[in-house]
Amino acid sequence: MATQPVTSPGTAPRLWRALVLAAMVSAILWGISLSLSAQFEGFSERQRNVRRVYEQEAVIARLVSDLRKAEAAQRSYVLTGDAGFLQPYEQLRATAAARVAQLRGLYANEARPVREHIALVAGLVPQKLDEMQRIQDLHAREGRDAAAARIAQGIDGRLMERIGQASGAVKAQQDAFLAAQLTSGAREAVERRRLYTIALLLVTAAAFAVAYVIWHSGRARHKALVEAIDAGARQMAIFNSALNAIVLINPSGSIEVMNPAAERLFGYPATDLLRRDISIIADLGPGEGPFLDRIGLTDDGLAQPFRPLVRARRSDGGIVPVEVALGLMALEDGMHVVAVFRDVSEREKVEQIKDQFLSTVSHELRTPLTSIVGSLGLLRAGVADALTDQQQRLVDIAENNAHRLIRIVNDILDAEKLQSGQMTFAMTPVDLCDVVTSAVASMSGLAATRNIALLVAAPDEPVMVEGDKDRLVQVVNNLLSNAIKFAPSGSRVDVRVMRDGRHGRIAVIDRGPGIPVDLRDRLFTRFAQGAISGRAGTPGTGLGLTISREIVQHHRGTLTFADAPGGGTVFTIELPLESGPAEQGKPDGTPRLLLYADATEAETLAASFAARSIRADPAASIADAASAAGQRRYLAMIVDFQFAGEDAPALIHAVRAEPHGRALPIIGIVGDGQAADPDRTAAIDIIDWLRKPIDPQQLDAAIAAAMARARVDMPLVLHVDDDPDTLEVTAAALAGHARVAQARDLGSARAFLADTRADILIVDIGLPDGSGLELVSDLAGTERAGTPVIIYTAQDMGGDLREVEAVLTKSRKTLPNLVETILAIARRQEGRKDE
């Protein structure tokens, strides 16, 4: 592209003229600034004086007004004898000394005549109050007529008149002071106007120097133009000689400039594409809307600056595969986009050849590998002869490596299916907890060989999604395999299942070295991870993450990674959840909930439950809640703890005292700023906490949990033990057989039993604050004396323990024995109920 010739810049100006102009302008500005500053200072001083006078007048005016109100109130008291009229007087009497002191302080720095009048007022106020007090005392001793006679003497009125005259004199003197201030301000304004006139003349004189400024500006522009032309010539040389096609696109998506390489790549002369839309040669931003929005421009830049494969169109109608790098250029008419196109036709041909080769090799390897694995399995099972330990070890090595080869072949074939769109998915409702369980079970052997622990954290309720379980297990297997591969020996890999709004998540967290910075942008591309696998010492195909991401995307989800706190990497699968839990009925008709909340909250929740075919019975008081719990069985009670406040313990105690309320599950609701204490859950059998505003999915999960527990009338077991692992294992073993409340010391157990009746107690002897046998003694002689108690301890128990149901030693009796003992007690209790 040709450039325009540069004209002569002319002669350079002299410096002294610029210095003179700068000095003149500076002097004028300083003069104006000092004048304005002085004027502002004077104005501020007058403003402070005015505020001070107004404050002084307001204080003395309020004092005089309150004296008049007190005088009028006193006279009403004398006439009626009603002491209530004396309230203004009593209030004034209580604050008079402080207000007089305040008055003296406000006028302490005023002129002497003003201070003298203020001193007079300050002296008359106590006299006035004393005279009013004498009138009240006279009324109290001798009656209304005597008090009225005293008022008629005029002493009271003369005091008030003198106070008014003194305060009026103060106001007159202060008004004169304000008038003097205004006069002074007007005089200063005239002087300032004269000064500004002089400044205007100076500015007018300085205007003659504008020619120098204009000339100087022209000189600077000339110099900048020369530099710009020089820089432009160098950049144009680079632009024209670049091997990659470069196109400048304006904010509306039209082509402004393209280099010769672009002309050669797309077959268009640059003039033919000028001001035409970029979509003629490539769809960089398909869809509707402004071009910059379509290409993903945000405040942080371009969301996807690199496009690995775009099908571009040539002038002859041919398609050329290109990769595109996008950059931004901010110009006066908006943000422009610089698109750099690289022809990848040859690379595409190489990829096709490679894909064909991999497909052929994969299919040819699969059949013999299947036979090898089958034969090794038969040998390991002893079909031929029993194997020695050394032979068994060799067979295991061969079988493990054969399985690894099969996984590699499967990855290659899956990558080919995904790329060709031939992979099928059997979509059914799937619990992500089951997916993780299956994946962890299949990878536990590999983890054991690396001495790595697999730790799973999952919620008790299902996390249901719509998906292909086998494919999701394949994704988690791949993430676990990578995590185990990169995690240091002896470390751990965490697998977490969780809900997040309308999505379910699986997170795999390792303690490895993390993802290298140079591989992060292409981690999910094919064969990218092979370099990382080599660093781990175990080679891989580099296809696993690519396949995993494609599978997750087919489930309308995302697969992302981030640095783990403390080192390592977190890979997260996020999938949309299924709709809320299916509505569950009860044999006796529509399920019911007992609702303790204020009227507005109760109405909103009741409408929400009605949409779920659940009836909610509101209770606005403890008595109503206890009565409702005594009349019928409910699935659960929902308690708004913000509404219940300090009455919450009494409410729960009252409901638990009713036959149908003793085992009633509770769902707690807390306000946005109110803390929910999870440690209280075990103590009062709260199955879930919900925070306002209530998340519908969390509400669904809580109701589903209540419904699941209501399917059978499970006994309530209080387990008292200071070992959290024992508590957790026992609760897991009793899941589905009993509801388990937990306490870790005697104090917590006693607090629980004070409000709730347990069906069975499991008690450890050695507790932090005493012996568990003290609970047995506490029950003796009370209405709960017949509660079955099981001693479950690591200590050897001797002596006669007739008052307990059973004594089980932790090291000698297995957990199934404990479960069976509890079930036997529950069956016996159920039989008594039927009788």
Side-chain angles (χ1 to χ4, degrees), residues 741-760:
Q742 299 172 346
R744 296 188 181 182
D745 51 48
L746 286 176
S748 300
R750 285 168 173 154
F752 177 87
L753 293 173
D755 294 328
T756 307
R757 183 185 182 94
D759 296 301
I760 303 170

Side-chain angles (χ1 to χ4, degrees), residues 212-228:
Y212 170 79
V213 175
I214 295 175
W215 173 84
H216 184 271
S217 176
R219 178 178 180 276
R221 284 198 302 270
H222 172 78
K223 182 178 179 180
L225 178 61
V226 172
E227 294 175 351

Side-chain angles (χ1 to χ4, degrees), residues 312 524 668:
F524 290 106

Side-chain angles (χ1 to χ4, degrees), residues 592-623:
R592 288 175 179 257
L593 295 171
L594 180 57
L595 180 58
Y596 188 84
D598 65 71
T600 302
E601 189 77 12
E603 182 178 358
T604 302
L605 288 172
S608 176
F609 293 137
R612 295 167 169 81
S613 299
I614 300 173
R615 179 172 174 178
D617 294 341
S621 66
I622 295 177

Side-chain angles (χ1 to χ4, degrees), residues 594 596 620-627 629 637 639-641 643-658 661 666 680 684 751-752 754-756 784:
L594 180 57
Y596 188 84
S621 66
I622 295 177
D624 292 343
S627 175
M637 179 170 71
V639 178
D640 185 344
F641 278 80
F643 171 71
E646 296 180 356
D647 293 333
L651 166 70
I652 295 172
H653 180 76
V655 172
R656 294 286 192 226
E658 297 296 331
I666 297 174
R680 297 173 59 197
I684 55 178
F752 177 87
D755 294 328
T756 307
R784 304 180 184 182

